Amino acid sequence: MIKTIKDIDLNGKRVIMRVDFNVPMKDGKIQDDTRIIAAVPSINYIMEHGAKSLVLMSHLGDPNKDLKKEKEKAERSGKTWNEEGYLAGKHRMRPIAEYLSALLNRPVIFAGEDGCFGKKAFIEAQADASIIMLENTRFHKEETSNNPEERDVLAKELAGYGDIFVNDAFGTAHRDHASTASIAKFSGLSVGGLLMDKEVSYLESMIINPVKPMLAIIGGAKVSSKIAVLESLLKSASAMIIGGGMAFTFLKAEGHKIGKSLVEDDQLDTARAIYAAAQKAGVELLLPVDFLCAEEFEPDAKVIAIDKQDLPDHLMGMDAGPRSIELFKQAVTNAKSIIWNGPLGVFEFDAFAGGTRAMAEMVAEAADRGAIAVVGGGDSVAAVNKFGLASRMSHVSTGGGASLELLEGKKLPGIEVCR
């Protein structure tokens, strides 16, 4: 549980809120507004409850790192380099402020391209009940500095723009940055926004006190990136489905032939240990029992169905097969709470998207029946969006790395300051 804007008096207060407006941009146009829309309930709540001012801050890519890469890329290709044009199209917050203004149907005042320092007089000069957007926080090296004292320089400045600090940027909650965590040291009061509250409530419940039976569906490419999540969820899950590329490491660990499929040979002992831990905890561990395969990792590769777990040497597993889906369906049907992180196959290739689509549909149907269905970040979110099923889930997380780390049971700096 965290303290939120619903727990405090906002009337007449100056509020500074960290949001996650790190959205994909192309030539100054927003390509996906999901994260912006997710922050609107908190913005509306704060303004409806009488805030004197609301200052919004976010990063938008990392201009210092990305600028260097793009400049080198342009020079290699012989293109004319326009530095300010690049920054305006990819990293400046002015287009975000304009988009948000249209979304809210009220002015959102951009504080200028000269950074986040020295804006107190500008903010105080605005009319009461104004919404102000600061420039991209990552134009300042202090934002992401590994030196706490250096981070504090920016954090103290930002804290001066509000009586209350609100963190509604779940997507960066795992980062110990000036605008996400350090600022709380200098703020009179620090609380979470409505999005942060929703994220923490749904995700923490899956590791602390889930409604049983609880099903964890873990997919994706590599076991190594999900070890801590698997170990954490084994403590609270009733059953666990392992799919995607990582399933082949488990299958090889059991002695199966996996052909040319993706595998992490250095994680075979880890897979065996996780399997043993599941048995000890009484958690049913389910792996695919058949596959859709291909000879090459290509979107137009010929689909070859293999009706068993052992694959020929010349094939690689690309998706879960129909018998696997039927096996998984029983587990989904039995579950009263579900956490899903990672696809079951190469869903980016239409020919191998069937397993992930079927899982998304089954989880959506479970939610329709009253189960708590949480999609926890990364490619699973992309999948449910691709298949038009996001709105049927109980919750679709806006955080990738943050979701993963919270499910691992870690304490996230941007959340801890709201407790």
Side-chain angles (χ1 to χ4, degrees), residues 12 44 55 82 86-87 117 154 163 166 183 226 234 277 302 317 341 344 369 377 379:
N44 285 338
V55 177
N82 180 351
Y86 166 75
L87 291 174
F117 285 98
L154 177 59
D163 307 309
V166 178
I183 183 175
K226 301 281 177 82
L234 279 177
K302 181 183 177 183
N341 183 288
L344 296 192
R369 293 192 300 269
D379 286 340

Side-chain angles (χ1 to χ4, degrees), residues 18-23 25 56-67 86-97 110-117 119 133-144 154 158 172 177 179:
R18 181 54 155 95
V19 289
D20 183 9
F21 287 170
N22 183 33
V23 297
M25 301 286 290
L56 301 173
M57 54 180 173
S58 176
H59 75 290
L60 181 57
D62 192 325
N64 296 316
K65 288 181 181 178
D66 296 348
L67 181 68
Y86 166 75
L87 291 174
K90 292 284 285 187
H91 295 292
R92 296 211 177 274
M93 296 301 294
R94 185 185 297 275
I96 309 292
F110 180 55
E113 296 176 352
D114 53 345
C116 300
F117 285 98
K119 292 297 176 179
M133 177 87 73
L134 295 178
E135 182 56 286
N136 183 347
T137 57
R138 289 194 187 174
F139 273 108
H140 302 287
K141 68 181 187 302
E142 295 89 349
E143 167 73 330
T144 59
L154 177 59
L158 295 171
T172 55
H177 291 168
S179 69

Side-chain angles (χ1 to χ4, degrees), residues 172-314:
T172 55
H174 58 314
R175 304 296 189 193
D176 191 0
H177 291 168
S179 69
T180 62
S182 300
I183 183 175
K185 291 190 283 187
F186 307 100
S187 298
L189 181 61
S190 300
V191 298
L194 302 182
L195 174 62
M196 182 71 81
D197 185 40
K198 188 179 181 185
E199 294 274 14
V200 172
S201 297
Y202 273 109
L203 290 168
E204 277 194 342
S205 71
M206 291 294 169
I207 57 172
I208 296 172
N209 188 29
V211 178
K212 295 290 185 86
M214 192 275 262
L215 171 65
I217 306 163
I218 307 298
K222 295 184 176 181
V223 175
S224 55
S225 64
K226 301 281 177 82
I227 293 170
V229 171
L230 292 166
E231 292 174 340
S232 175
L233 290 173
L234 279 177
K235 298 171 186 175
S236 57
S238 310
M240 181 178 287
I241 293 170
I242 294 178
M246 62 191 296
F248 295 106
T249 299
F250 280 84
L251 288 167
K252 185 171 181 178
E254 289 184 353
H256 291 285
K257 295 179 180 179
I258 60 166
K260 297 195 297 182
S261 303
L262 182 68
V263 66
E264 290 177 284
D265 286 320
D266 61 342
Q267 297 295 327
L268 295 176
D269 285 341
T270 300
R272 293 184 189 106
I274 289 169
Y275 190 78
Q279 286 185 310
K280 185 177 180 181
V283 178
E284 185 182 17
L285 196 64
L286 300 172
L287 294 168
V289 293
D290 64 335
F291 297 95
L292 298 185
C293 301
E295 292 187 6
E296 302 295 338
F297 190 83
E298 298 291 343
D300 57 353
K302 181 183 177 183
V303 179
I304 302 170
I306 300 295
D307 190 27
K308 57 183 179 179
Q309 287 181 310
D310 292 283
L311 304 183
D313 291 343
H314 68 292

